[in-house]
Amino acid sequence: MNPGAAAEAVEIEVHLRTDGGAGMARDIRMGLTAKPKELAPKYFYDELGSQLFEQITELHEYYPTRAEREILSQRSAEIVAAAGSPGTLVELGSGSAAKTRHLLSAMRDDGCLATYVPVDISEEITRQTAESLVEEYPGLTIRGLVCDFEHDLERIPNGGGGRLVAFLGGTIGNLYPDARHDFLTRLAALLEPGDRILLGTDLVKETGRLEAAYDEPGGVTAEFNQNVLQVLNREFDGDFDLERFEHVARYDGDAARMDIRLRSLADQTVRLDGLDLTVRFAAGEEMRTEISSKFTREALEGVYREAGLRPDGWFTDAAEDYALSLASV
Ligand code: SAH
Ligand code: AVI
């Protein structure tokens, strides 16, 4: 394809910091002054954070990506048919869209593929992904949205020819139950009859495997977690010393979720000039940076129903570590 044609087939809308960064500043100030302190996982994903996540997906201990790839590589044609051969694939939290190729190829082979809408908070990875995909799928139109999918969900375009809205990787598990309910309820309100959601969820399993997946000896996940402090240093002229915080990943069986934190290794004071904020950490104090919920089929079907969605498809890998499910209004 000539490069001009490829450029015309890609359009990326950016809706980040439309408030000049005031929302992020408010969020971080609230999180660092709360008791206990907490940061939202969406702040992990600067350019380095996105690269570190890609490395996580290749770790032996991190089975969710492998399991989801197994399902998509074997069942994408079936999923596309069950979703009514949609013309548009919307993907929330698309990242590198590595596994999404299976769905796009199944749509191409079905003859329905027209438009791909990647939606992600990380501009760099969304642009790279769009540029690669337009080369790989001649004729594909890409309408990327760089935004916070919780804030800007209603910007998702209407799809002529039906939509499949994929939310892969288990990222739904990074939302707290209330936020997840609001998010799915809003998503349900956007769906037209015939549109489908395709949701990736990690399943409940033994604690040892879960904790190993989030705290592997190689330390990539620790680096991914600590990188959020580097994001704050850059954004708010801060002086967090990453070496003085250690990665903690524990499974909370009552809440059925991984609980991921940074633990201060010393009594210390951190200054963020950009927020005119001084924050004290006691030795051993923990600050949560992410939760990652794990589901049973029954629990997930309850979550769907509460949001006004009807579960209508369930696909797992052979080991039943991970599930993809379809839902509609
Ligand atoms: N879907 C990919 C990537 C998962 S990592 C996979 O399965 O491998 C989570 C992705 O969601 C990252 O690319 C991150 O940038 C994006 N993300 C996280 N929070 C987000 C938010 N609030 N709004 C938009 N994108 C978000
Ligand atoms: C993006 N998300 C689904 C990952 C997860 O498994 O919750 C993020 C992650 N955090 C640590 N490792 C991977």
Side-chain angles (χ1 to χ4, degrees), residues 120-190:
D120 203 285
I121 204 161
S122 174
E123 182 166 351
E124 298 83 5
I125 202 159
T126 308
R127 288 195 186 281
Q128 286 161 18
T129 299
E131 278 162 27
S132 310
L133 287 177
V134 82
E135 295 291 336
E136 290 171 43
Y137 293 88
L140 179 65
T141 298
I142 300 188
R143 300 270 170 266
L145 276 176
V146 176
C147 67
D148 179 339
F149 53 51
E150 285 192 85
H151 189 264
D152 290 306
L153 191 61
E154 284 72 17
R155 291 187 188 276
I156 293 172
N158 288 326
R163 279 175 305 183
L164 177 60
V165 181
F167 193 14
L168 304 180
T171 306
I172 188 87
N174 300 135
L175 302 182
Y176 277 103
D178 283 354
R180 179 178 71 209
H181 173 75
D182 288 353
F183 177 80
L184 288 176
T185 306
R186 283 165 61 199
L187 188 53
L190 292 175

